[in-house]
Amino acid sequence: MRGGEQSCCETGSISTQLHSFMYNMDQYDGDEDYMPQEDDWDRDMLLDPAWEKQQRKTFTAWCNSHLRKAGTQIDNIEEDFRDGLKLMLLLEVISGERLAKPERGKMRVHKISNVNKALNFIASKGVKLVSIGAEGE
């Protein structure tokens, strides 16, 4: 964190928070008693555009609830995290840790470097990243 700020997530590690968020993402409405098991998931919903739109909206709201603490926000996940800068900032806010210095250039190589720094940080916290890379288009 910068300037002696308190961590916004003193209740757990970034790994725990990311795992918890990904598991409970569709429960964002606050109904804490309901925890679906993976066997109960409707696999057809994974391809439903309305479901995907709702998930995107929910995740964007979650990101913004943390990014506001750093004085910024996102509107579009794909566009706003593309250069890695806001993704790195989000990770700093939720982890309370400082990431490697981001690249400030506008070239593709700088953007890939920033996203890789964010992904490496996530992996360093024990989150397994399967088929995820900075160069995916």
Side-chain angles (χ1 to χ4, degrees), residues 8 67 99:
C8 67
L67 287 171
L99 273 71

Side-chain angles (χ1 to χ4, degrees), residues 7-99:
S7 169
C8 67
C9 54
E10 295 174 13
T11 59
S13 70
I14 187 173
S15 175
T16 303
Q17 286 195 350
L18 287 172
H19 282 289
S20 177
F21 175 74
M22 295 307 292
Y23 184 76
N24 295 309
M25 196 160 87
D26 64 340
Q27 304 306 314
Y28 189 75
D29 63 358
D31 183 3
E32 296 176 10
D33 295 334
Y34 178 67
M35 296 281 290
Q37 297 299 312
E38 187 171 342
D39 296 341
D40 296 337
W41 291 2
D42 184 353
R43 300 291 180 202
D44 293 334
M45 290 294 291
L46 295 176
L47 302 176
D48 179 21
W51 180 85
E52 286 186 24
K53 182 179 178 182
Q54 182 61 43
Q55 295 304 302
R56 220 176 235 104
K57 182 178 175 182
T58 300
F59 185 66
T60 300
W62 180 83
C63 291
N64 283 333
S65 73
H66 292 287
L67 287 171
R68 273 191 287 278
K69 296 168 187 167
T72 191
Q73 68 176 26
I74 61 170
D75 296 314
N76 180 300
I77 296 166
E78 291 86 3
E79 292 299 319
D80 295 335
F81 284 159
R82 181 165 287 172
D83 65 5
L85 295 173
K86 287 190 179 180
L87 179 58
M88 291 177 72
L89 182 59
L90 175 65
L91 293 172
E92 285 187 354
V93 170
I94 65 175
S95 71
E97 297 179 37
R98 191 83 187 233
L99 273 71

